[in-house]
Amino acid sequence: MNNRVAKTQLITPKHIKAAQSQDAQSTPMTRPLLQPLAKEKNLITVKPKPKPKPASVWLGLHFAQIALTSTETTRNHSDARIDLPLVVVEIQQNQSRVYRANEQAEAQGVEQGCLLNAAYVLCRNLEVIARDQAAERQQLKQYTQRVLRFTPQIVISGTDTILLEVRQSLRLFGGFKALLAQLKQHFSDVLLYIACAPVPLVAELMARNRIQKLISHRAHLQSALGVIPLHQTTISPALIHKLERCGLTCLRDIWRLPRTGLARRFGPDLLHYLDTLSGSMESPQVIFNAGHRFSAGYDFDQETETTSLLLHAAELLLQKAQQFLQIRALLCEKLNFHFVYTHRRGEIRQGQQLSVYAQQGGNTAAHFLPQLEEHLQHFVFKKAVLRIELHIDQFRLQQDSTLDLFRRTRENTQSWPMLLDILSARLGRQSVYCLLIQADHRPEKSWCKRSTGKPGSAEIKALSVYLPARPVWLLPQPLKKARASFTLLSGAERLESGWWSGDDLRREYYQGISLSGQRCWLFRDIKTRHEQWYLHGLFA
Amino acid sequence: MTAETPPAYAELHAVSNFSFLRGASHPEELVQRAHELGYAAIAITDECSLSGVVRAHVEAQKHTIKLIIGSEFTLEDGMQIVLLASCRKSYGRLSRLITCARRQAQKGQYHLNREDIEQHYPAGCLALWCVQHESSPEQGHWLLSTFPDAAWIAVSARRNGQDSALFKRTLKLSRECHLPRTACGSVSMHHPSRRPLRDVLTAIRLNTPVAKLGFALPSNAEQHLRPRTHIQRLYSAELIKQSLVIAARCDFSLQSLRYEYPDQSLPEGYSMGSWLRHLSYQGAAQRWPQGVSQAVCKQIEAELKLIAELEYEPYFLTVYDLVRFARSRHILCQGRGSAANSAVCYCLGITEVDPARFNLLFERFISRERDEPPDIDVDFEHERREEVIQYLYQKYGREHAALTATVITYQARSAVRDVGKALGFSLEQVEHLAKTLRHWNDRSLLEQRIEAAGFDAANSHIQRLLTLVQALLKFPRHLSQHVGGFVISRGPLSELVPIENAAMPERTVIQWEKDDLEALGLLKVDVLALGMLSAIRKCFDYIKAYRGACLSMSTLPAEDPGVYEMLQRADTIGVFQIESRAQMSMLPRLKPANFYDLVIEIAIVRPGPIQGDMVHPYLQRRQDPGQVVYPSEALKSVLERTLGVPIFQEQVMQIAMVAAGFSAGEADQLRRAMAAWKRKGGLEQFESKLINGMLERGYERAFAEQVFKQVKGFGSYGFPESHSASFALLAYVSAWLKRYEPAAFCCALLNSQPMGFYQPAQLIKDAEQHGVEVRPVDINLSHWNCHLETSESQQPALRLGMRMVKHLSRAAAQGILQCRTGRPFESLSALAQRSGLSQSTLLPLAAANALSSISGHRYQAYWQVAGIETQTPLWGMAQFSEATPLLKTPDDWANTLADYASIGLTLGKHPLALLRPRFDKKGICTAAALPHYQTGQRVRVCGLVLNRQRPGTASGVVFITLEDETGHINLVIWPKVAEAYRKAVLQSKLMFVVGEVQIESNVIHVIVRYLRDESGQLGGLSTRSRDFH
C-alpha cells in the first residue's frame, strides 16, 4: 500500500509548477491532440529533486476499421466493388450482429451491433463477411512492425489497439509533436485514433472512444475521465447494469461514493479498475515480442563467380545460421540468399536472390548445402558477386528436440525429407508431389496431387472404404472408342454423381478386352442420347 | 419381333419421405409410380414407422394397386430386416413392436434388439433380411428360428460394382441357412430424377455439404422404382416370382381397421343410446325450465336418430364426460363446431350457444353418406388444460389414449436454410436468402426477389438451389404433437397405430396426424387451450369475492344495450376476438346491436370474406336494406340472415345444396375441398358440378360463377357460423365484463398473461381511462397476482402483483408473502432477515420500485439491497455502518425508463407526456386532439410504435398503431411511402409522422405522407412492439 502511495507521489503539483515556470504559456491539463503541441517537451523534461522515476508517456493507437481492412484479402475481388456497403459480422448469442460497417453501409443506416437481418433490411446490396479475428491480429501485427521504429515498448491490446510507451523516444524524434506527425504520416492510409496519457489504460480507453486528447499528469486523470459514461469503459456490461440501477452513469458518479460501500456491493475488481484508471495502481503490460530474424553476410575480397568459393562462403553463413537456430530450438523452411554485385556507399545496391526450401523444416547446414549446390549448378549470375548474404525470417518451433532412443530410425526418417528437398531443388518444386485417394465416386475426382510438404490426412481416410475394382492406370482424358473395338467382360457399374458442381456425370462402366488383348475399363455415357463409348483406364 | 411382356413384380422394400431425411419421395408418389409401372403390389416400409402408410393407402385405393404395410428396422447388432404385415393381427403386432422400439428411445429415434423382437413377437409378420457384406450365417439362423416359414433373404441389385459379390454372398447364406431369396429394390425414391434431392437429404441428415459427403452418398440413382423390363434384366425369374409369393401372403388393408369406441361406464339398465337420450332430456329440462318447445324436441330427436344410426353415442358421451370433469373442477370450457353447437350438445352442457337461435347445420360434421366421425373441439382454460389431459390419461390409460401427431413439413424458410447449407452456401448467405424468400409462391417472382436481394438469379448455383427447395417443400421433417387432438380407443391403441415419445416428458404421440385419422374414420377429441376462458373464470371469481355476486356465462344478462353501445364505439381493448385493429375499425361501421351481429362481425373480418369481396356489399346492404335482392326464394332462406351475402361456410354448403342440388354429403365434401384446395387442389371437380347444377335450376351463369369465386375466396380461411357463434358468446361475455366490471376484467386479463393482442401496459392504460385506479407493486401490499383493493369510487382499485416484476420468481414471491402474513415489513433489513432471501432475489423488487415504502427512492433501494450480505447460520445477518451515499434522486425520465425496464409499463408519467413540451413547440398534436380535425386536414403526430402489420390482403399497405399519453393513433402507410421511409417504418420505436386525417364512421386514420425515426429521444426506453404477426 505504501509503495503505491509512493508511486502516486512521483508526479506532484510541484513538478507541474516547475514545468509551467519554464514555459510562460502554461500547458493545459488536457487538450485536443490535433492542436499544435508546442510544449510537449515539458511533459517529460521536468527534473525534480530528488530525482523521481520519470512519468511514462503512453500513446493509444486505435485502428477503428481493422476488421474491415483485414478482410479485404479474403474478399473476392472479381465481383466485389469497393463502393458497395460492407459489414463484418460476428455471432453473439446465436445471432449474427454487425461488428463493423464501412462508410457506405453506415450511410444507409447500418450501425455497429445491429442484427444482420436488420442490416439487410436497410441495405439491399449489402456485402457480408464473417469476422476473422486471426486476420485482424495478423493485420495488427503488421501495424506493430511499422511502429517498432518509434519505440520497442509496445503493447498489443485486443485486435484493434496498440499502446506505445514513447517517453524515451521523444528526444530522438524531435519532440512529441514531431513524433506524432511522423506516426500519422506512417498511417496516412488507415483510419486511426490517437490519445496520450501517462497511464496505458487511459490512453487505450480514450483512443477506443475516439477521444483524441492529451492528458499530461496523473493528478488530472480523475477529473479528465469523470465525464466518460460507464458503458464506454471496459467495465463488464453486467456490472454497468448494476451500477446504473443505483443511478450511477459516469465515472464521476462512482468516484464520489465511499470505497468500502462500493467494494462490498460491486466487488474489488471495480475498485482495482478505478485505481488503475486514476494511476494510483500500476497495470502490468505485456510488451510485444518483435520476433526473430537472422541476417549474416560474407564479403569477398574480389568479385567472383566460382561455385566452390560461393559454396564455401555460404557454408560459413549456414553454420552461423545453424548455431542461431539450434540455440533457439527453431526450424526454418525458407532461406534467402542474396548475391550482391555492388554495395559501396553512394552506389545503388544490385544483386540476385535465391531461395532454398526445407519441406519439413531444417536447422543444420548439412541439410541445406546439397540443395544449394543443386541450385548453384543451374543458377545464372548476371554479374560477378562481391558479397553474399543470408536472411531468414520465417521460423517455427522445433517440436522433437529430444533424441530418439533408436538413433538409426531417426536418421532414416530424416533422410527422406532431405531427399525430397534435393529432388525439388533439381526438378523444381512443382514437379515433386504425392498422390492421394479422395472420397468421390467420380473417377476423375477420386485422386489428387498434394505437395510433398503437406499431409493429406482427410483424403487418406477414403482408403478404408470398400471400393469396387478400379484400373491401375487411369487415362488423363477418356478416349472415344467404337463399340466394335472391344469385347465386354463384366458390368455394368453405374456411376451418377457430381450434379452439385455443374458437371453431372452419368456413366455405365464395364470391363472389357480390346482387340490387342488389353484389359480395359470402358464406359458408356448415358447422359447423352448417342451413348458414346469411351476408354477410361487399363487394368494390366 | 414381338415385345415380350415383362414379368409381374411386387416391390417389398420401399421407404418414403416419412423415413425422415432418407426417403426422397412422398408415399403417394411411390404408390402412383408403382401403379404406372404395372407392379402387382408395393410395400411402404418406412424405418420403424407407419407414419406414411395412410397417405399411401388413400392413394392405393385410387389406383387399385395392392398396398402392403411394413416397416424396416436396423437392430442393435447392425442386422437390417423388413417386416411385412400379413393380416390384421400381425399388423397390430408390428405396430406394437414399433411402439416398443420408439418408446425406449429419445424422440425421433428407436432402439431394438433381438430380445425385443422375441418378447413382442410379431406373429404373422413376414421377414426380409437385407444382407450386407458383413452379415453372418448366425443372423440367418436366428431369423429363421424366429420367423419359421416366413423369412427370406432380400436380394437387391444396386449396380454399384458390388452386385455380383453380394449376390454370391446371398446365395451362400441362402444355402447355409435354408432361407429362400427374393428380389427387392431397397427403394428410396419413386423416380431417378430425385437423385439430387436424395443427396441433399443425406447432406442435411449428416450435417455435411453435399460436395464433402464423398462415399457417404450412394454412387448412383438405382434405388428407385425400376421399370419391369429392367427388373427382368437384373434378377432371375425365381427371385422375381418370390416377390409375388410374398405379396400374395400379405392380406391386410388399412380399410379393415375397425375402430371401436371406448366404453363408458353406464348406470344399470341403460344402453349407450338410452343413456345419451336420458342425459339430453335431463339437460334440456335444466336449459328450459319452463318447458322444452316442440321445435327443440324435434331437433333433439332428429339428432339422436342420426347419432344412433351412425353409432356415435360413445363419442358424445366421451366429450360429455370431459366437460363434466372440467365443470366438477371449476374449469371453464366450451365446445366448438356445429356438432358441438347441436341441440344435444347444448343440453349436455358442451356449449352455451342456444341452437334454437341459430340455423346451424348438423350435417356439416355428421354426414350420413361419409362414415366419418364428428369433430368437436372443446376449449378449456389455458392454465388448467393439463388437468383435463391428465384426467384423460388417468381414465383411459396410456394404452388407450394418446395425442395426435402433427407432421412438421419443410416450409420455404427451413427448406432454403437446409438446402443452402447442403449446397455449401455460407451461413450468412443462407440466412439472407431465407429471409428474402419468406413467401414462396411464384418462381418468377422469386427470381425477382433474389435479384433485388443482390443475388444473381441466373447463376447456376442459385438455380440449383431454387429447384431443390421447390422439390423439398412440404417434405415431412419430423413429428410433433398436435395442440390437443386425442385419440382414445377401446382396445390397446398401440395395436392400432404406433405410439412414440413426444418432446415433452410424460407425453406420447401416435404416428398419424389429423388427416390420417379422418381418412380412416378414427375418433378424435380436441382438448384445446384458450386464454380468454381462464380470464373469464378468474373475473367471475374476483367479482364474487369483491361484490358477492355469482355470475356465470349462462346467467350473464343477454343482449345488454350498454355492451353494444360500447362495442359500436370500438372500445374493445381486451375483448375476445374483436380487439384487433381491423376488428376495431369495422365495429363503428357494422354497429353490432345484437348477438347475431357479433357473430357476423367475428366471421366477416377474415381473409376469406375479404378476398371474396363480401365485406363492402354486406356493409352497404346494412346501411340500405333496399339493396338486398335474392336470386331466388330458395336462396333467400339461406342468405336472408346475412342480407344476401354469403359470409359463413355453412351458407356456401347450403347454396350448393339448395341452388345446385348437392346432397348434404356432397356439400360436406365441397367444404373439405375448400379447406384444402390451396394445399392440395381438387376444387375443379366441384366447379362444373356447382355451375351446371345452378344453371339447371335457372340461375344465371354470372351468379353461378360469382358463387364459385366466393367458394374459392373462402379457401381455408372461411369461418363456420358455428365457430363464430361460440366465439361471439365469449366476445359478448368479455365485453360485458369490460363494460360493467373494468377493474376485475383488467385484473383477470393481467393474471392470465400471456394472451390476447395487447401488452399489459395497454391493458392498464385502458383500465385507467375507464376510471380504474391502478396502484403500483408494493412489497407490503401486493400479492403474486394482481388483485382488487377497496377504493372510494364505485370500481375497486387494481393493485399490481409481483408477477409483473421481471426476473422475480414465483417461489421467491411466495416466500415473501409467507413471511409477511399479518406483519408488514418495516425496513429492508427486516425484509431480508425475515424472508432469508438473497440479494439477487430482492434486486428485481428494488428495480421495480416495489420497496419504496420501506427504503426510499429506487436508487437508494437498489444501493441498500446490493449491500445485503448473505446470512450465515452462526452469525446471522451481518450489520455494517456506512456513510450515506451521495446518490442522485431519479427524475421522471429515469423513473419511466426504469419502470418500463422492470415491469414493462409505468404508472407515472407516460414517456410522451415528458416529451410533450418539446412536441408542443413543433406543433405535434395528441391522439385525443385528432377528432377535432377534419378529413383531409394535415396533422403532425408522434408516438411509441405499438404494432406494425402488413396483411396479405392489403397489397403492401402497412398499418402501424402509435401510442401517446392520450391514446392510440392509427396510421395507414401506402406502399410507396413505406418504401421511401423503409428504415424508419421498420425500426422506429418512437415515430414522428406528418399526414392527413381521414375520418369515416368515427374511425380516425392518419394517411402518412412523411415519417421519421425519433427513437433517439427515448434514451434507451425499453418498449416492445408487436410486428407483422
Side-chain angles (χ1 to χ4, degrees), chain B residues 33 130 394 411 444 473 697 767 802 829 930 948 969 999:
Chain B
R33 180 74 180 155
C130 306
Q394 190 198 329
Q411 303 300 312
S444 61
L473 283 181
R697 283 163 185 76
M802 293 191 204
S829 56
L930 283 180
R948 301 172 170 89
I969 303 160
I999 303 179

Side-chain angles (χ1 to χ4, degrees), chain A residues 244-247 249, chain B residues 847 849 858-859 888-902 906 909 914 1018-1021:
Chain A
E244 284 179 344
R245 292 280 185 93
C246 293
T249 52
Chain B
N849 211 19
R858 62 187 349 133
Y859 291 166
K888 292 182 278 195
T889 307
D891 56 16
D892 283 346
W893 188 245
N895 272 329
T896 303
L897 287 182
D899 281 343
Y900 268 88
S902 79
T906 183
K909 285 185 181 170
L914 300 170
L1018 293 176
L1021 185 82

Side-chain angles (χ1 to χ4, degrees), chain A residues 109 120-122 124 242 245-247 253 264-265 439 441 466 493-494 496-497 499-500 502 504 508, chain B residues 159 195 199 210 214 217 219-222 432 464 847 859 862-863 867 869 880 882 888 979 982-983 986:
Chain A
Y120 276 130
V121 169
L122 297 170
R124 290 188 171 179
K242 282 185 185 174
R245 292 280 185 93
C246 293
D253 291 340
R264 207 152 66 74
R265 284 164 180 83
H441 291 296
Y466 177 81
E493 179 189 348
R494 192 180 265 245
E496 295 168 297
S497 193
W499 55 267
W500 53 87
D504 192 17
E508 269 183 5
Chain B
R159 302 181 79 192
R195 174 167 54 99
D199 293 349
V210 180
L217 284 179
S219 61
N220 56 37
E222 285 300 298
H432 189 192
R464 220 171 279 137
Y859 291 166
Y862 201 87
W863 178 263
E869 297 283 331
F880 294 92
E882 280 185 344
K888 292 182 278 195
E979 194 54 36
R982 188 180 165 86
K983 181 189 165 192
L986 292 172

Side-chain angles (χ1 to χ4, degrees), chain A residues 202-218:
Chain A
V202 176
E204 182 191 345
L205 181 63
M206 293 201 302
R208 278 188 190 281
N209 288 298
R210 306 178 180 193
I211 304 170
Q212 303 203 74
K213 282 190 175 176
L214 162 68
I215 299 177
S216 56
H217 205 289
R218 288 184 183 215

Side-chain angles (χ1 to χ4, degrees), chain B residues 700-848:
Chain B
E700 286 178 13
R701 177 170 282 276
F703 175 70
E705 281 173 357
Q706 191 200 337
V707 168
F708 185 71
K709 187 186 158 203
Q710 286 171 342
V711 168
K712 271 171 58 173
F714 263 74
S716 50
Y717 304 115
F719 212 53
E721 188 176 15
S722 46
H723 274 66
S724 199
S726 293
F727 280 171
L729 186 67
L730 294 182
Y732 177 80
V733 171
S734 52
W736 190 95
L737 292 170
K738 179 181 166 74
R739 171 73 178 82
Y740 295 106
E741 294 291 347
F745 183 62
C746 182
C747 187
L749 288 178
L750 290 175
N751 289 341
S752 305
Q753 291 294 312
M755 60 165 281
F757 199 76
Y758 294 95
Q759 299 287 335
Q762 284 102 49
L763 296 173
I764 287 171
K765 188 94 204 152
D766 185 63
E768 284 180 327
Q769 282 170 354
H770 286 79
V772 177
E773 181 194 348
V774 183
R775 295 172 180 170
V777 187
D778 188 298
I779 187 67
N780 277 328
L781 298 168
S782 287
H783 305 159
W784 168 251
N785 278 322
C786 303
H787 70 276
L788 301 178
E789 289 179 348
T790 47
S791 86
E792 288 169 6
S793 70
Q794 199 200 349
Q795 277 296 318
L798 170 60
R799 170 70 67 181
L800 296 183
M802 293 191 204
R803 65 179 291 143
M804 307 290 291
V805 177
K806 281 182 199 166
H807 309 302
L808 180 69
S809 72
R810 185 170 193 157
Q814 300 291 10
I816 293 171
L817 294 175
Q818 271 177 10
C819 305
R820 196 181 73 188
T821 316
R823 192 156 65 102
F825 302 111
E826 61 279 7
S827 68
L828 190 70
S829 56
L831 166 66
Q833 258 174 347
R834 275 160 55 189
S835 69
L837 290 172
S838 68
Q839 188 192 94
S840 59
T841 315
L842 295 173
L843 283 174
L845 285 165

Side-chain angles (χ1 to χ4, degrees), chain A residues 118-275:
Chain A
Y120 276 130
V121 169
L122 297 170
C123 248
R124 290 188 171 179
N125 47 357
L126 188 71
E127 194 180 344
V128 179
I129 293 175
R131 188 180 173 200
D132 182 352
Q133 296 205 43
E136 287 171 30
R137 274 190 213 103
Q138 192 58 36
Q139 176 93 58
L140 195 65
K141 239 179 187 173
Q142 287 176 18
Y143 291 153
T144 314
Q145 296 289 350
R146 286 205 221 174
V147 294
L148 267 172
R149 62 190 298 272
F150 295 101
T151 172
Q153 299 272 66
I154 299 172
V155 176
I156 291 183
S157 171
T159 59
D160 55 7
T161 305
I162 305 174
L163 301 174
L164 313 181
E165 207 290 311
V166 292
R167 186 180 58 80
Q168 288 174 336
S169 314
L170 290 179
R171 185 183 291 172
L172 179 68
F173 286 89
F176 190 86
K177 187 180 172 186
L179 187 142
L180 204 62
Q182 285 192 45
L183 205 53
K184 280 183 181 167
Q185 197 184 359
H186 241 74
F187 289 104
S188 57
D189 55 333
V190 180
L191 181 62
L192 175 65
Y193 295 94
I194 308 176
C196 178
V199 175
L201 202 62
V202 176
E204 182 191 345
L205 181 63
M206 293 201 302
R208 278 188 190 281
N209 288 298
R210 306 178 180 193
I211 304 170
Q212 303 203 74
K213 282 190 175 176
L214 162 68
I215 299 177
S216 56
H217 205 289
R218 288 184 183 215
H220 304 143
L221 284 171
Q222 273 201 9
S223 57
L225 296 176
V227 291
I228 292 189
L230 297 183
H231 60 83
Q232 289 187 4
T233 64
T234 53
I235 300 174
S236 73
L239 186 53
I240 290 177
H241 185 64
K242 282 185 185 174
L243 293 164
E244 284 179 344
R245 292 280 185 93
C246 293
L248 313 171
T249 52
C250 58
L251 286 171
R252 187 173 46 205
D253 291 340
I254 306 183
W255 265 316
R256 64 180 175 202
L257 288 176
R259 285 176 65 88
T260 48
L262 274 176
R264 207 152 66 74
R265 284 164 180 83
F266 307 108
D269 286 353
L270 177 69
L271 287 189
H272 183 268
Y273 179 75
L274 294 175
D275 289 347

Side-chain angles (χ1 to χ4, degrees), chain B residues 90-111:
Chain B
S90 60
Y91 168 82
R93 293 289 179 89
L94 177 65
S95 170
R96 208 169 65 184
L97 184 69
I98 295 174
T99 304
C100 155
R102 290 278 179 185
R103 289 295 306 274
Q104 57 192 4
Q106 283 182 338
K107 178 188 185 284
Q109 295 171 358
Y110 71 96
H111 182 86

Side-chain angles (χ1 to χ4, degrees), chain B residues 20 59 84 106 134 243 256 285 310 384 395 553 567-568 694 713 722 736 755 811 821 873 1009:
Chain B
F20 302 124
E59 190 69 20
L84 305 174
Q106 283 182 338
E134 57 274 11
S243 77
S256 64
L310 299 170
R384 302 188 63 191
K395 174 155 184 185
M553 296 223 307
L567 296 183
Q568 288 173 11
M694 290 178 77
S722 46
W736 190 95
M755 60 165 281
T821 316
R1009 300 287 172 223

